[in-house]
Amino acid sequence: MEKVRSNFFEGISINMLKVIGMITMFIDHVAVYFSYKITPEVYLICRLIGRISMPLFVFILVQGYMHTRNLKKYMIRIGVLAIITQVLSLILGYINKIYYPNYVNELGHLFNILFSFVLSLILIRAFDIEKKYINKFNRYINFILRLFIVICVVIIYCYINVDYSFTIPVMAINFFLFEKIKTKLKTEEMKTVFTGFEMIIMLIIAIVFNRMEMLVVVDVPILFLYNGKKKNKFDFNRLAMYAFFPLHHFVLYLIAMLIGG
């Protein structure tokens, strides 16, 4: 979906959404790792700011699904990043437990959010009825396969402790279904109306899952300004963006452990 913008402001591109997401996520994780160094009021403010990032990244994930040329490679990139992040976390967690037992953070018992992104992509693929899972099978076999995959993913969420749990896949499916509908609409007015419905459902999901996501109301104007482009005047290195997630966790955890342990 590409909207007409003035020369003064072209709207917000995917890359700008990523930057906003990274900044708010960083603020959130500073509060998580250094909670023992800041007041409860500052901690709460940082966490609320950080809540902005998750819906943005889920929206970016869905846009990635819809525009990627190779879904398998896209999933592998995120999966590899998830594994790298988890391995670094496990290494630091071991050091934490043996050498700095006095330091405790809130993330040590969780699988990181990127695993949920991979599972969400699998679910989106199952809900994408315009594409067959296996071309040589008829639609009935494909339906059974989709249903089986959805059940498997739900079971995985029930038995493993992933950051944000079901909030991520539910939001991802919401974004996907609405974005899919908007690609078929001809007028910008109708697309704007459906974007409004999309944001309302997102807020309802946030309330139902009770994850402090009430502040996702801030995401509403941000996503309304999304212009459907990958980049505007400024571009950012994709590798640097991918590297940011594991590196900022590693650096913050290490520093916080050394200071607070």
Side-chain angles (χ1 to χ4, degrees):
M1 178 179 70
E2 192 160 321
K3 303 175 184 177
V4 178
R5 303 285 175 180
S6 66
N7 291 330
F8 176 72
F9 181 65
E10 299 179 349
I12 298 177
S13 67
I14 279 292
N15 277 350
M16 287 305 300
L17 288 179
K18 289 179 181 178
V19 171
I20 295 170
M22 288 192 303
I23 292 171
T24 53
M25 177 177 64
F26 183 80
I27 292 171
D28 183 41
H29 290 161
V30 167
V32 170
Y33 286 111
F34 294 92
S35 58
Y36 63 94
K37 288 286 187 181
I38 58 179
T39 65
E41 294 77 15
V42 172
Y43 174 83
L44 180 60
I45 291 171
C46 290
R47 296 307 310 273
L48 287 172
I49 293 172
R51 301 303 87 186
I52 296 171
S53 63
M54 187 275 281
L56 291 183
F57 281 124
V58 177
F59 181 80
I60 292 165
L61 181 79
V62 172
Q63 292 298 318
Y65 172 87
M66 296 179 70
H67 296 102
T68 185
R69 295 178 181 177
N70 192 319
L71 179 60
K72 186 180 293 185
K73 288 184 178 180
Y74 185 48
M75 292 177 63
I76 289 173
R77 284 199 300 269
I78 297 176
V80 169
L81 200 62
I83 293 170
I84 291 172
T85 304
Q86 201 67 34
V87 169
L88 290 175
S89 178
L90 288 172
I91 292 171
L92 289 179
Y94 177 78
I95 295 172
N96 186 174
K97 183 178 180 180
I98 301 300
Y99 299 103
Y100 302 94
N102 293 328
Y103 174 72
V104 179
N105 70 68
E106 304 170 24
L107 299 177
H109 63 291
L110 297 172
F111 283 93
N112 68 73
I113 195 173
L114 296 179
F115 287 107
S116 199
F117 283 3
V118 174
L119 291 171
S120 295
L121 287 172
I122 294 172
L123 272 182
I124 291 171
R125 183 67 180 83
F127 276 82
D128 192 354
I129 59 176
E130 294 182 358
K131 299 178 182 178
K132 286 186 175 182
Y133 253 104
I134 302 178
N135 289 326
K136 65 180 180 179
F137 291 161
N138 62 36
R139 61 180 180 176
Y140 301 107
I141 300 297
N142 271 278
F143 173 78
I144 294 171
L145 181 59
R146 293 176 197 277
L147 184 61
F148 175 75
I149 290 171
V150 170
I151 292 171
C152 287
V153 171
V154 170
I155 290 172
I156 289 171
Y157 271 105
C158 289
Y159 285 95
I160 67 171
N161 196 3
V162 186
D163 197 11
Y164 284 103
S165 188
F166 283 101
T167 314
I168 302 292
V170 173
M171 276 195 171
I173 292 169
N174 169 58
F175 280 134
F176 170 71
L177 294 177
F178 275 99
E179 291 300 306
K180 200 74 172 177
I181 292 171
K182 286 190 285 185
T183 60
K184 301 181 184 302
L185 299 176
K186 296 181 179 180
T187 66
E188 288 299 321
E189 290 75 14
M190 286 302 297
K191 291 179 182 179
T192 301
V193 169
F194 271 85
T195 299
F197 285 131
E198 187 177 14
M199 297 302 106
I200 291 171
I201 298 299
M202 183 182 74
L203 289 170
I204 292 172
I205 293 168
I207 295 169
V208 169
F209 284 96
N210 191 27
R211 298 281 314 195
M212 283 173 36
E213 266 76 27
M214 286 303 297
L215 202 67
V216 294
V217 67
V218 178
D219 289 295
V220 173
I222 294 174
L223 294 180
F224 262 111
L225 292 172
Y226 171 57
N227 59 16
K229 298 178 180 179
K230 183 178 180 181
K231 59 185 179 181
N232 288 53
K233 295 178 181 179
F234 302 100
D235 194 12
F236 300 90
N237 184 275
R238 187 174 71 175
L239 181 60
M241 287 183 168
Y242 276 113
F244 177 80
F245 189 82
L247 285 179
H248 93 279
H249 270 293
F250 180 82
V251 171
L252 289 177
Y253 192 171
L254 183 62
I255 294 173
M257 182 171 57
L258 291 174
I259 295 175

